Amino acid sequence: MAYKRKHHRLPIECQGDAHRADGDISCKVVNLCEQGMLISPATALTVGEELTFEFDLGKSHRIHCTIKIARAVKSDFGAQIVAISPDDQRYLTEYLDDFVANNFGRY
């Protein structure tokens, strides 16, 4: 059975870097949720590939995680966060909650 997203992705754009044994790949994060993201890398990635990944979130915080490429959509790639520290997960969750409150209001 295919991976199914549990959270809606939010249109948060930021810069990130994927790390492979043969070098780093600059990526644009196109959208983001607590458990995954859509990235647009400078080089093609492979579905099923696991990479260490880091990206800037907010003005002063860099998130470090491991992602698994789940799907390819033209030149963009859907990635699932498979490992992240509790502190980075907490920061990510709070950042996304603030983003929703500031951009969509509370219903």
Side-chain angles (χ1 to χ4, degrees):
M1 186 170 168
Y3 168 75
K4 186 157 177 94
R5 228 177 272 139
K6 294 179 183 175
H7 297 92
H8 293 288
R9 297 252 177 100
L10 298 173
I12 297 173
E13 293 185 2
C14 54
Q15 287 303 120
D17 296 296
H19 305 286
R20 280 183 169 156
D22 60 349
D24 296 343
I25 302 166
S26 178
C27 300
K28 176 182 174 185
V29 176
V30 178
N31 61 43
L32 183 62
C33 73
E34 289 182 49
Q35 296 179 332
M37 64 193 77
L38 183 69
I39 59 175
S40 182
T43 303
L45 303 173
T46 304
V47 172
E49 182 175 14
E50 282 195 17
L51 304 159
T52 56
F53 191 74
E54 51 190 84
F55 60 100
D56 296 315
L57 194 58
K59 294 182 179 182
S60 62
H61 197 89
R62 191 138 175 102
I63 301 286
H64 301 268
C65 59
T66 301
I67 60 173
K68 182 176 183 178
I69 305 303
R71 67 187 54 79
V73 182
K74 298 182 183 177
S75 61
D76 294 338
F77 295 83
Q80 180 182 5
I81 297 173
V82 294
I84 187 169
S85 74
D87 287 341
D88 279 347
Q89 184 66 64
R90 187 170 26 264
Y91 185 88
L92 175 59
T93 299
E94 290 172 3
Y95 186 92
L96 295 173
D97 287 346
D98 289 346
F99 181 86
V100 168
N102 292 328
N103 291 282
F104 302 106
R106 300 204 187 263
Y107 295 97

